[in-house]
Amino acid sequence: MVDIGLFTQIVINGLLLGGIYVTIGVGFSLAFGVLEVVDFAVGEYVMVGAFMGAVLAPLFGAEGIFAIPIVLVVFFALGALIQPLIHHVTTGDRPHPLLMGLVFTFGLATFLRGSVLTIFGPNNRDVPSSLLTGGVAVPGVGTFPVVRTVTAVFGVTALVVFMYYLYRTRGGMAIRAIAEDRTNARLMGININRYQSIAYGAYAALTGSAGVFIGMTFTANPGMGLQYTAFAFFMVVLAGMGYLPGVILAGIVLGLTQSFTAVYISGNLVLLVLFAIIYLVLLVSPAGILGKGEWAT
Amino acid sequence: MTDDVPFLDRIPGARRHWYVALGVLLIVWPIAFGNFWARIGVGALMWIGLAQSWNMIGGYAGYLDFGHGAYFGIGAFAAGIAMVQFGFPFLVGFALALVASAAISYLVAVPTLRLTGAYFAIATWAFAESMKQAALVTGITGGTFGLSLPRSPDTLIGIAVPFEIGETFFYYAMLLLCLATMALTYYLFERHEFGYRVKALRDDQDAAESLGIDTTRVKRQVYVLSCVVAAVFGSVHAWYIVYIHPNDVLAPIITDRMVIMALLGGLGTLTGPVAGGLLVFLLERLSSVFLGSTTFYLPLIGTLIMVTVLFAPSGIIGILRGEVDRDDVRKNVRELGEKFDLL
């Protein structure tokens, strides 16, 4: 017997969570499109973002949400500085550029995880937000937890701003041109290095600030990064490589899967269920559930 | 007659004195330096072997396997389950580890080896995580309680053996396994036709296919081989540390270490994993002994990886062999500087 009230509550929680996953997925997908490298450090950006929230919150009277602007700026700078390094290892006359790109971001992930683990120890930290506790009950529908709602609103807003930049400005056009064809973009006089740095910086900023919200919703832990790396891959695989609208659907599927598994099966088995889905999608439909992406091989 | 030639001169190679000295050192190590250094030796040899097992699939075949640690855990649990749940001697558990890891790795190989690059990496990582979750919820692995293995003389072959099963025994066991892994790698990947097929597959799969190489078959062979080697070390490790828990022997950090060791040393080289394994293992040990921090080596190693990939993609071995010299680094730095073109 399925409890309808509980069911709609799970749907609400899952959808709200999906909002923040979408921002991670879109950034990750763009970083892949522009840089042609799959970033293993994505989950560690989420993790570092969450820890920055935990550290900065006391400065603002235990309000993690006010840390967001600082996180955005810091991560944009970090990303803009890291991108040339990644570009360097994936170009030039070195053997196996894709492998080297993966390895470099793997080293970066190890560095970030190790640093946080050494500085903060292995325990959980809270990202406090007294403003955002509790929930708003909507009669006949369910309760909207404030943290998750604000998270989803931020996620959607960030996404809209980002998409506006990408599709309505010259800079965004340059970035899309690079993603389309790097050589031709250079022939058109686009400064590849600069726009790649901007794209990667924007991606890092989106991911890091998503981390603050994830830290508020759940908790900050030095080992949490890997899970979000897997989530990012999950979304791209599900969406189909390079197909941005698919990412939105994939993020929602991810949020719903997570909240349904946690309630009806077990919180410990969320990852297992996700992996089963990834496996199936990769094997049955390598171009994503909508079949519109590039083949994932 | 060759009998007239001194023993030393009969060993091939220009650096034969060093080889002999190294051999003697490896043999007398646990006797000469005592239990503490024997323990360090056991760890170093095991990690060199594991790094080499990852190097087979990751370095020679070019498939970044981020779930390799799972086979270490599968080997450990195969031996543990045989000894604890069924009361078999260790050698039966060892055989079981071989069979179980070969069977499981083949089943994993069939779907996942269709993927490449990051997709293969994440699919194998997902597999490893699933194995850990599964081990935590099943009864036969001891679940969240783990397994305590017996370590008495009669658990080796079922009857009492006339030597002590302690630090020294495990040192020689690991030495034997590590040397066997090295010899196997040398023969299969550096001397045998198999190695050429694997490298052809890594460098260009389509070209390899057009030369008549059954790439699917070769991929599976390398994968199963490397997984079985990891499981062998896992089973001996389980018996050595006596207590195994899914959170220890199936931890993602085990895979990470293997990957890092092979990478730092030099991918797809025979001696790379030895250099990388020693460096990483000693860094980890020394940082925990001298700095009292068990995690400080991680950022250190992350930095090392990034610097290595940026300036010396062929790893420590590449630097030692002189493949990377000062001019290369200078050129590298200049090219890198040109890419910082922000505003």
Side-chain angles (χ1 to χ4, degrees):
Chain A
M1 187 54 208
V2 178
D3 179 349
I4 300 298
L6 178 65
F7 187 83
T8 47
Q9 190 57 50
I10 297 167
V11 173
I12 291 170
N13 285 350
L15 284 177
L16 294 179
L17 204 56
I20 204 71
Y21 291 154
V22 170
T23 61
I24 299 177
V26 166
F28 183 73
S29 191
L30 183 85
F32 175 82
V34 174
L35 292 168
E36 289 162 12
V37 81
V38 182
D39 191 350
F40 261 113
V42 55
E44 309 305 332
Y45 291 155
V46 172
M47 185 270 293
V48 174
F51 270 87
M52 273 187 76
V55 171
L56 292 173
L59 298 180
F60 302 105
E63 264 323 314
I65 197 162
F66 295 133
I68 293 288
I70 301 178
V71 171
L72 281 171
V73 171
V74 169
F75 271 85
F76 183 84
L78 187 77
L81 286 175
I82 288 171
Q83 190 281 326
L85 304 178
I86 298 178
H87 189 205
H88 181 67
V89 302
T90 55
T91 51
D93 51 357
R94 25 182 92 215
H96 316 299
L98 177 69
L99 210 69
M100 287 299 154
L102 283 178
V103 167
F104 182 83
T105 54
F106 178 69
L108 179 65
T110 309
F111 172 76
L112 292 175
R113 183 165 65 247
S115 304
V116 172
L117 204 58
T118 307
I119 297 168
F120 294 98
N123 297 326
N124 288 341
R125 295 212 165 205
D126 284 330
V127 182
S129 60
S130 49
L131 279 181
L132 300 173
T133 45
V136 178
V138 176
V141 182
T143 311
F144 286 79
V146 176
V147 174
R148 290 193 185 211
T149 311
V150 173
T151 301
V153 168
F154 169 81
V156 173
T157 314
L159 193 64
V160 169
V161 172
F162 192 51
M163 288 299 198
Y164 177 83
Y165 174 72
L166 210 54
Y167 286 96
R168 289 283 180 274
T169 62
R170 278 187 72 80
M173 194 154 86
I175 289 170
R176 282 184 294 131
I178 294 169
E180 195 97 350
D181 187 329
R182 201 186 282 187
T183 317
N184 270 332
R186 171 166 290 164
L187 290 174
M188 294 298 125
I190 293 171
N191 185 337
I192 303 243
N193 294 335
R194 179 187 303 168
Y195 283 110
Q196 279 185 338
S197 279
I198 291 174
Y200 195 83
Y203 143 75
L206 266 183
T207 313
S209 53
V212 180
F213 281 103
I214 287 170
M216 282 193 292
T217 315
F218 301 111
T219 180
N221 181 286
M224 73 198 268
L226 267 177
Q227 180 187 346
Y228 293 100
T229 307
F231 280 8
F233 273 89
F234 174 89
M235 282 186 279
V236 172
V237 169
L238 211 59
M241 263 298 182
Y243 183 60
L244 282 184
V247 175
I248 296 169
L249 179 66
I252 291 167
V253 170
L254 178 59
L256 287 176
T257 310
Q258 189 180 3
S259 70
F260 272 102
T261 312
V263 175
Y264 287 115
I265 305 175
S266 158
N268 297 327
L269 296 179
V270 171
L271 283 174
L272 214 80
V273 172
L274 288 180
F275 297 151
I277 299 176
I278 297 186
Y279 256 84
L280 276 178
V281 172
L282 276 175
L283 295 178
V284 176
S285 172
I289 37 174
L290 298 173
K292 288 189 177 166
E294 287 166 34
W295 272 58
T297 53
Chain B
M1 286 298 285
T2 49
D3 288 347
D4 300 332
V5 182
F7 169 72
L8 210 54
D9 293 341
R10 273 188 270 156
I11 301 169
R15 282 179 239 143
R16 56 175 78 93
H17 293 86
W18 291 108
Y19 292 140
V20 171
L22 181 67
V24 171
L25 180 70
L26 282 175
I27 289 167
V28 302
W29 183 272
I31 303 161
F33 300 107
N35 265 355
F36 174 78
W37 287 102
R39 191 150 49 237
I40 297 277
V42 172
L45 288 167
M46 181 180 86
W47 282 107
I48 290 171
L50 285 173
Q52 190 66 271
S53 89
W54 191 86
N55 188 37
M56 293 176 186
I57 182 77
Y60 284 107
Y63 275 76
L64 289 183
D65 181 355
F66 277 96
H68 213 65
Y71 295 98
F72 179 79
I74 287 167
F77 271 107
I81 288 166
M83 289 170 84
V84 177
Q85 311 287 19
F86 299 104
F88 287 126
F90 171 74
L91 284 185
V92 176
F94 185 79
L96 193 68
L98 293 180
V99 175
S101 60
I104 296 175
S105 63
Y106 185 77
L107 290 178
V108 172
V110 172
T112 50
L113 280 170
R114 285 172 54 185
L115 311 168
T116 54
Y119 290 99
F120 179 75
I122 216 73
T124 48
W125 178 73
F127 160 73
E129 196 61 27
S130 321
M131 281 286 125
K132 183 176 143 197
Q133 301 280 3
L136 279 170
V137 294
T138 22
I140 199 167
T141 58
T144 47
F145 298 107
L147 287 177
S148 287
L149 280 70
R151 188 164 123 184
S152 59
D154 60 329
T155 50
L156 173 58
I157 46 176
I159 49 168
V161 285
F163 48 82
E164 190 207 355
I165 295 182
E167 220 66 63
T168 314
F169 170 80
F170 282 104
Y171 175 84
Y172 288 116
M174 287 293 183
L175 181 62
L176 194 71
L177 288 175
C178 184
L179 290 178
T181 307
M182 292 298 293
L184 186 73
T185 313
Y186 177 72
Y187 176 70
L188 274 183
F189 291 91
E190 302 286 349
R191 282 290 166 269
H192 195 267
E193 187 201 336
F194 181 69
Y196 293 104
R197 273 187 245 142
V198 174
K199 287 174 198 165
L201 160 76
R202 172 189 65 190
D203 293 336
D204 191 334
Q205 185 169 337
D206 293 335
E209 196 82 50
S210 76
L211 291 172
I213 297 170
D214 184 351
T215 52
T216 313
R217 199 180 142 87
V218 174
K219 275 187 246 177
R220 287 177 191 170
Q221 285 169 336
V222 185
Y223 186 72
V224 171
L225 173 71
S226 67
C227 293
V228 169
V229 173
V232 162
F233 283 99
S235 68
V236 178
H237 176 74
W239 193 30
Y240 170 61
I241 62 161
V242 180
Y243 174 73
I244 52 171
H245 189 280
N247 284 343
D248 296 332
V249 294
L250 284 164
I253 186 78
I254 292 181
T255 311
D256 290 358
R257 272 194 213 128
M258 288 188 217
V259 177
I260 291 167
M261 287 167 173
L263 281 174
L264 274 183
L267 281 176
T269 58
L270 179 69
T271 42
V274 181
L278 271 179
L279 178 74
V280 174
F281 181 78
L282 291 180
L283 263 181
E284 185 187 343
R285 271 301 134 107
L286 294 180
S287 81
S288 70
V289 169
F290 291 110
L291 300 171
S293 163
T294 51
T295 54
F296 182 68
Y297 80 105
L298 277 172
L300 216 63
I301 279 168
T303 314
L304 259 175
I305 292 179
M306 289 189 279
V307 172
T308 310
V309 178
L310 278 171
F311 301 113
S314 46
I316 298 170
I317 291 301
I319 299 172
L320 291 181
R321 279 190 194 151
E323 283 171 21
V324 179
D325 62 21
R326 206 177 294 159
D327 286 342
D328 290 327
V329 174
R330 210 173 281 154
K331 179 167 157 269
N332 235 319
V333 173
R334 200 180 56 241
E335 281 178 7
L336 183 57
E338 287 165 6
K339 281 172 183 132
F340 279 96
D341 186 6
L342 296 178
L343 297 165

